[in-house]
Amino acid sequence: MAGLPISAELNVTRPAPERAALLLEVYRRFRQTYGEVPLIPRREAMHELISTILSQRTTAANEDAAYQELRQLGDWDAIVAAPVEAVTESIRLSNYPEQKAPRIQATLRAVKAEHGNYNLDFLAELNPAEGLKWLTALPGVGVKTASLVLLFNYAKPVFPVDTHVHRITSRIGAIPKMGEQAAHKALLALLPPDPPLLYELHINLLRHGQQVCTFSRPRCGKCVLQDICDAYKIYDGKVPPFKT
Ligand code: SF4
C-alpha cells in the first residue's frame, strides 16, 4: 500500500480497486492493533433499534441512561400508550428528546400494527435491500440505524456509516467528499459482502475515531494508518478539523 498515489487535494477520488484495497488494508491493520471483534448481537433487536434512535447526536452514556429511563415507563405497549410528554421527559438525557419521543412511539406503533408484536426477527428472512426498505420506512429510522440493526442483529451484509466511519474513510481517501448517507452505498460497493468483516471494520473504525482519528485534533503520530492516509500526506502531518 505504500506506493498509493497522493491526490493533489483531499477528496479527489482514487480508482475504485485502490480504494477497495485500502479498506482491506485498514481492516488488516486494525485487526493487528485492536484485535478480532466477533459478530455477536450486543442487545435484542428492538433494543438496538430504539437505542440507535436515541444515540443520534448523543453520547453513548447518555443514550444508555435515556434508554434505561424510557424502559421505566413499562413494556413497549405502555410506552406507546404513555403521553408523549412523559416519553420526552424519560429520554431527556438524549439530545432532541422532543423530536425523538414521537418518533419512537410511532415506530413502535408501526411495528405492532404490521406484525402484531414487537419482534423484529422477521428481518432475518428478508434480503438486505428488503430489510433496509422496511426499516427506513419507519418514522425516524435512517439508513444508519437500519444498517446497524441488520448487521448487528441479523448478520446482513450492510455497512453502517456513523460520524467516525465517515471521517476516517474520507481522510484516508477511501471515498471522495460526500455525506454520511451517500457513504453507505459508496463504501459497501468497495467492501466484500462478508458480515463478520463488515462488523469488525465498523467497530474498529469507531474505536479508532474515538481514540486516535478524532474530529478536531487527530493524533496522527499514534496512528497505524499514517503511511496510507491521504490527509496526512496532503496536510504534511498537520491534519485540520474534519469538514463535512
Ligand atoms: Fe486520521 Fe491522522 Fe490517522 Fe490519517 S493519519 S487516519 S488523519 S489519525
Side-chain angles (χ1 to χ4, degrees), residues 167-168 171-172 208 212-214 218-232 237 239:
R167 183 172 64 255
I168 298 170
R171 277 176 169 161
I172 63 173
H208 197 68
V212 181
C213 191
T214 53
R219 302 165 70 205
C220 301
K222 296 193 177 305
C223 181
V224 295
L225 308 179
Q226 193 189 95
D227 64 305
I228 55 170
C229 175
D230 271 3
Y232 187 82
V239 178

Side-chain angles (χ1 to χ4, degrees), residues 134-150:
W134 192 88
L135 281 164
T136 54
L138 294 170
V141 177
V143 65
K144 181 185 83 172
T145 301
S147 301
L148 275 168
V149 172
L150 289 173

Side-chain angles (χ1 to χ4, degrees), residues 101-178:
R103 287 180 187 162
I104 287 169
Q105 287 184 307
T107 287
L108 290 167
R109 223 174 264 125
V111 173
K112 177 93 182 265
E114 192 163 329
H115 292 278
N117 57 42
Y118 299 103
N119 189 339
L120 295 176
D121 286 352
F122 67 92
L123 291 169
E125 308 304 321
L126 303 185
N127 68 40
E130 291 169 337
L132 282 172
K133 189 174 172 195
W134 192 88
L135 281 164
T136 54
L138 294 170
V141 177
V143 65
K144 181 185 83 172
T145 301
S147 301
L148 275 168
V149 172
L150 289 173
L151 177 62
F152 286 24
N153 289 85
Y154 301 106
K156 299 291 183 185
V158 291
F159 192 61
V161 178
D162 67 3
T163 182
H164 301 291
V165 173
H166 181 232
R167 183 172 64 255
I168 298 170
T169 55
S170 299
R171 277 176 169 161
I172 63 173
I175 51 172
K177 189 173 176 61
M178 61 173 67

Side-chain angles (χ1 to χ4, degrees), residues 3 7-8 68 71 76 78 96 100-101 109 114 132 135 137-138 140 155 177 179 196 206 212 240 243:
S7 305
Q68 298 308 331
R71 295 312 306 267
W76 296 124
Y96 307 107
K100 292 174 182 174
R109 223 174 264 125
E114 192 163 329
L132 282 172
L135 281 164
L138 294 170
K177 189 173 176 61
L206 182 73
V212 181
K243 285 189 193 139

Side-chain angles (χ1 to χ4, degrees), residues 12-209:
V12 172
T13 312
R14 311 180 197 211
E18 277 183 21
R19 291 185 283 126
L22 177 63
L23 288 169
L24 288 181
E25 179 66 9
V26 171
Y27 167 77
R28 193 186 66 74
R29 293 188 186 194
F30 282 172
R31 166 68 69 91
Q32 285 178 343
T33 306
Y34 299 119
E36 189 175 354
V37 189
L39 174 46
I40 300 168
R42 57 182 176 177
R43 46 202 182 190
E44 177 266 327
M46 185 58 84
H47 183 161
E48 188 70 58
L49 178 62
I50 300 300
S51 285
T52 308
I53 295 173
L54 288 171
S55 76
Q56 290 155 14
R57 297 182 184 274
T58 300
T59 65
N62 281 343
E63 167 216 311
D64 190 53
Y67 182 83
Q68 298 308 331
E69 200 159 330
L70 173 70
R71 295 312 306 267
Q72 295 298 312
L73 295 176
D75 61 13
W76 296 124
D77 276 332
I79 291 167
V80 169
V84 69
E85 295 78 13
V87 177
T88 304
E89 172 64 16
S90 75
I91 63 168
R92 65 193 176 284
L93 288 176
S94 168
N95 285 327
Y96 307 107
E98 296 84 4
Q99 291 174 19
K100 292 174 182 174
R103 287 180 187 162
I104 287 169
Q105 287 184 307
T107 287
L108 290 167
R109 223 174 264 125
V111 173
K112 177 93 182 265
E114 192 163 329
H115 292 278
N117 57 42
Y118 299 103
N119 189 339
L120 295 176
D121 286 352
F122 67 92
L123 291 169
E125 308 304 321
L126 303 185
N127 68 40
E130 291 169 337
L132 282 172
K133 189 174 172 195
W134 192 88
L135 281 164
T136 54
L138 294 170
V141 177
V143 65
K144 181 185 83 172
T145 301
S147 301
L148 275 168
V149 172
L150 289 173
L151 177 62
F152 286 24
N153 289 85
Y154 301 106
K156 299 291 183 185
V158 291
F159 192 61
V161 178
D162 67 3
T163 182
H164 301 291
V165 173
H166 181 232
R167 183 172 64 255
I168 298 170
T169 55
S170 299
R171 277 176 169 161
I172 63 173
I175 51 172
K177 189 173 176 61
M178 61 173 67
E180 272 182 41
Q181 182 122 339
H184 283 83
K185 207 169 171 185
L187 287 168
L188 193 57
L190 298 170
L191 289 162
D194 175 350
L197 181 150
L198 296 168
Y199 179 76
E200 183 172 313
L201 181 60
H202 172 87
I203 295 293
N204 281 339
L205 281 165
L206 182 73
R207 192 176 295 178
H208 197 68

